[in-house]
Amino acid sequence: MKNNRLPLIVGAFISIALIVAIFVVYNYKNNQANSAADEQPKTTETNKTTEQDTTATEKPDNTETPAKPEPQPDENGYLPNQTLPIEPTYINGILLANKIYPLPSTFAPEENPEAREALNQMLAAAKQQGFDLVAFSGYRSFEYQTTLYDNYVKRDGQAAADRYSARPGYSEHQTGLAFDIGERGKEDVWLTEEFGETPAGQWLFAHAQEYGFILRFPQNKEEITGYMYESWHYRYVGKEVAKDITKKNITLEEYLGVK
């Protein structure tokens, strides 16, 4: 009987040993998995800390692209290499034409009817006071201004011409709103500063505002207007604007806030 039980006992021990071994292996694997799970958050936290540290040490890029400097007028008052625009410039409803704000070469409005009517009224009023004034130059086309300017340059040189004559596309006469005025019988002072000293020139300067005109290029304003004093050149801007400009003793550029 003892010999018959021995194999059974040995088999039982082997079965128990296998069960114990399986249990040990199972627990070992569970422990390993738990350890790995515990380590994962730590690694993530470490990465977050590293990223924060990196971000904190990086300098923000505050470098700004420097703005291009505004082009400056040359010694004659014009912007170098400026091309004529497609449309004329209006500021507060007022057409502007000077060395910085040119007109299109195709701009050809002819003489402004409203300006002509105001001019006729002004000349009639002057005649009642004994001054026979006449507008000897008014609207000029782009082509005519080209011929006129080129002739002045040939005669006096460009630097001198630029002080009293506009380059093509830059002339107020092309707007149809400007007139050169003189007194009949005294043609010798037309286009001269002396006209402004005559009784007729002084009357015109004092009363032009009443008809919507301003002396466009007054004395001591060449740095602003770009042109020497022209006692004969008057520009129509309308009565209210003309009176305001005259009262403040400023130029059209100053009135419009440009130069």
Side-chain angles (χ1 to χ4, degrees):
M1 291 293 293
K2 289 183 180 180
N3 290 337
N4 290 337
R5 292 181 179 175
L6 182 61
L8 294 174
I9 295 172
V10 172
F13 275 109
I14 292 172
S15 297
I16 293 171
L18 288 173
I19 292 171
V20 171
I22 292 170
F23 183 80
V24 170
V25 171
Y26 178 80
N27 283 341
Y28 176 79
K29 288 184 177 182
N30 280 345
N31 290 335
Q32 288 291 97
N34 291 335
S35 297
D38 291 338
E39 286 298 321
Q40 185 63 32
K42 293 180 180 178
T43 303
T44 303
E45 191 67 26
T46 302
N47 289 341
K48 287 183 179 179
T49 303
T50 304
E51 289 175 1
Q52 291 174 353
D53 291 343
T54 303
T55 303
T57 55
E58 286 180 353
K59 293 182 179 180
D61 185 9
N62 292 328
T63 305
E64 295 181 359
T65 303
K68 292 183 179 180
E70 291 291 330
Q72 296 299 313
D74 60 20
E75 63 276 9
N76 296 325
Y78 291 93
L79 296 178
N81 304 316
Q82 186 179 26
T83 57
L84 297 182
I86 298 176
E87 299 291 338
T89 299
Y90 287 86
I91 300 177
N92 296 332
I94 298 176
L95 177 58
L96 178 63
N98 63 12
K99 290 183 176 182
I100 305 300
Y101 297 91
L103 301 168
S105 62
T106 55
F107 186 68
E110 300 295 335
E111 186 176 86
N112 183 278
E114 183 180 331
R116 167 53 71 173
E117 177 61 27
L119 175 70
N120 290 340
Q121 292 177 9
M122 183 168 66
L123 299 184
K127 199 159 189 176
Q128 290 181 350
Q129 300 299 317
F131 306 116
D132 192 7
L133 297 178
V134 58
F136 57 85
S137 182
Y139 169 75
R140 299 177 195 159
S141 67
F142 177 87
E143 291 74 21
Y144 181 75
Q145 187 66 28
T146 300
T147 300
L148 193 65
Y149 176 77
D150 288 347
N151 288 338
Y152 287 141
V153 170
K154 290 177 182 177
R155 187 187 72 184
D156 300 327
Q158 187 175 59
D162 279 339
R163 292 189 63 207
Y164 63 82
S165 180
R167 295 179 184 180
Y170 295 79
S171 174
E172 269 211 330
H173 284 280
Q174 192 182 339
T175 67
L177 296 164
F179 300 91
D180 291 337
I181 301 174
E183 185 177 13
R184 283 192 178 95
K186 296 185 179 180
E187 287 80 3
D188 57 321
V189 295
W190 285 10
L191 299 174
T192 69
E193 293 184 7
E194 285 72 21
F195 169 69
E197 299 172 5
T198 65
Q202 291 176 352
W203 181 92
L204 182 61
F205 178 74
H207 296 278
Q209 60 177 310
E210 299 168 13
Y211 302 91
F213 288 90
I214 58 170
L215 179 66
R216 185 64 179 88
F217 307 120
Q219 287 179 309
N220 304 317
K221 296 287 188 175
E222 183 173 352
E223 185 179 348
I224 297 173
T225 65
Y227 296 99
M228 58 186 286
Y229 167 49
E230 294 188 356
S231 63
W232 60 91
H233 184 113
Y234 281 81
R235 157 72 193 268
Y236 182 75
V237 292
K239 292 181 181 180
E240 291 185 10
V241 175
K243 290 178 180 179
D244 198 15
I245 288 176
T246 304
K247 179 181 178 181
K248 295 177 180 177
N249 191 29
I250 57 177
T251 65
L252 182 60
E253 281 79 8
E254 291 172 300
Y255 179 79
L256 297 177
V258 301
K259 184 176 179 181

